[in-house]
Amino acid sequence: MKKVFITGANKGIGFATAKQLLQKGFYVYLGCRSQERGLHALEQLRSEGLTNAEILQIDITNDESVKNARTELGKKAEKIDILINNVGITGNMPQDALSATVSEFEKVFDTNLYGTLRVVQSFKDLLVKSEEPHIINISSSIGSLTLHSARSWKYYENANLFMIYAVSKAALNMYSISLGNQLPKFRINLIDPGFIRTDLTNNQGNGTPDEAANTIVKTILDKSIPTRKFVSEDNNSETQECPW
Ligand SMILES: NC(=O)c1ccc[n+]([C@@H]2O[C@H](COP(=O)([O-])OP(=O)(O)OC[C@H]3O[C@@H](n4cnc5c(N)ncnc54)[C@H](OP(=O)(O)O)[C@@H]3O)[C@@H](O)[C@H]2O)c1
């Protein structure tokens, strides 16, 4: 049974992904910042007969917490096959280029970039033991330099209001490229799940967390999907490739 560790799995896209993977027969470790919210998520899954899941308490902005989570997971499993770096925050307003503050940049980067870095570096040794190690980083098309500079892009106006979030996702994309270059035996995917109705978007959006999870799970099951590409659910072309 393949083992998956998902960060930010107590709600939203992470939770929907956990549920679908459990339904497909994976064993899932639900990375949750709050034990209480994690237990609530676990209960929800159990009530649907999905029992191959455990929670792993982790705050990805805290070195000690990440270290403890790695130690805990090491007691439960000798290896993990798939790591889904799903945690992300948008940060507070204002985020436009003339008003954004350094401290808000630091906060968003601490989660979206440094948090991912902490988790990858701490859990890599468990992934290396898998025959098919796979890392999926959840990004956003808002991090695309090409789209962000195109006036014709449908999110052009809004994207400029979320500049800190956009820069953090662009940085995550670059980090993911470097990670892929350094780990040639790993499958590395970078996914924009589309504009999804979750707490992160104040429940605005075009799709549901379940629809976003479909894209993520498809990337795990379908080995013909190319790795080291930036794929967007918002791009309706056949390849769904998103420009960097
Ligand atoms: N929704 C969209 O339209 C959309 C579009 C493009 C990309 N994305 C990306 O998709 C991913 C998931 O987003 P979502 O919409 O599902 O958001 P969400 O509903 O707000 O869920 C975010 C999850 O991350 C957790 N989290 C936040 N900070 C954390 C930390 N420091 N340590 C551990 N966990 C933490 C939250 O836990 P708590 O419950 O404890 O807060 C929650 O479980 C993000 O990377 C986001 O950038 C979303």
Side-chain angles (χ1 to χ4, degrees):
M1 187 183 288
K2 284 207 167 184
K3 297 185 168 176
V4 190
F5 173 38
I6 308 174
T7 64
N10 57 291
K11 67 177 183 181
I13 295 168
F15 178 75
T17 303
K19 187 167 158 182
Q20 287 192 21
L21 286 172
L22 287 163
Q23 286 165 340
K24 301 273 181 211
F26 289 81
Y27 197 97
V28 179
Y29 297 98
L30 308 162
C32 302
R33 165 163 60 175
S34 141
Q35 182 86 7
E36 194 188 340
R37 290 193 286 276
L39 282 172
H40 179 70
L42 196 65
E43 271 165 28
Q44 251 179 285
L45 295 170
R46 296 224 160 121
S47 71
E48 296 183 42
L50 301 168
T51 54
N52 284 329
E54 288 176 65
I55 60 168
L56 193 65
Q57 194 175 6
I58 184 168
D59 178 342
I60 71 163
T61 61
N62 182 307
D63 287 337
E64 201 59 25
S65 171
V66 174
K67 197 170 145 223
N68 289 343
R70 163 64 188 84
T71 305
E72 280 310 302
L73 190 52
K75 290 180 195 162
K76 298 168 191 286
E78 282 183 6
K79 60 165 186 165
I80 50 170
D81 301 286
I82 301 156
L83 166 65
I84 305 178
N85 287 303
N86 164 72
V87 167
I89 58 167
T90 49
N92 295 322
M93 299 297 164
Q95 294 207 359
D96 64 280
L98 295 175
S99 317
T101 61
V102 170
S103 65
E104 199 57 29
F105 256 103
E106 286 170 345
K107 196 179 90 191
V108 174
F109 265 66
D110 200 21
T111 302
N112 294 0
L113 182 66
Y114 312 149
T116 302
L117 183 104
R118 286 184 189 97
V119 172
V120 167
Q121 292 183 351
S122 298
F123 289 80
K124 194 203 91 188
D125 62 333
L126 289 177
L127 283 157
V128 164
K129 294 181 187 155
S130 168
E131 281 168 17
E132 289 184 307
H134 192 178
I135 297 177
I136 297 178
N137 290 339
I138 307 301
S139 185
S140 168
S141 59
I142 205 170
S144 162
L145 303 183
T146 308
L147 294 177
H148 207 79
S149 45
R151 279 185 185 278
S152 56
W153 185 40
K154 60 182 170 179
Y155 300 128
Y156 178 81
E157 296 294 342
N158 280 338
N160 285 306
L161 300 177
F162 286 91
M163 189 267 301
I164 299 179
Y165 179 57
V167 176
S168 77
K169 290 296 189 182
L172 176 69
N173 290 358
M174 181 60 93
Y175 172 67
S176 304
I177 294 173
S178 287
L179 190 62
N181 292 346
Q182 263 190 271
L183 296 172
K185 294 202 174 111
F186 278 50
R187 295 183 75 213
I188 310 263
N189 286 98
L190 198 51
I191 298 177
D192 163 39
F195 187 27
I196 303 297
R197 294 187 288 278
T198 64
D199 287 349
L200 183 124
T201 58
N202 291 322
N203 287 299
Q204 305 292 305
N206 306 321
T208 63
D210 250 338
E211 286 167 330
N214 284 340
T215 314
I216 298 166
V217 172
K218 191 172 70 187
T219 310
I220 292 172
L221 298 180
D222 183 352
K223 302 278 162 57
S224 71
I225 291 178
T227 56
R228 289 149 220 280
K229 304 262 187 237
F230 182 21
V231 168
S232 171
E233 197 45 37
D234 247 343
N235 180 343
N236 294 324
S237 75
E238 203 174 306
T239 61
Q240 293 188 328
E241 223 175 293
C242 187
W244 294 112

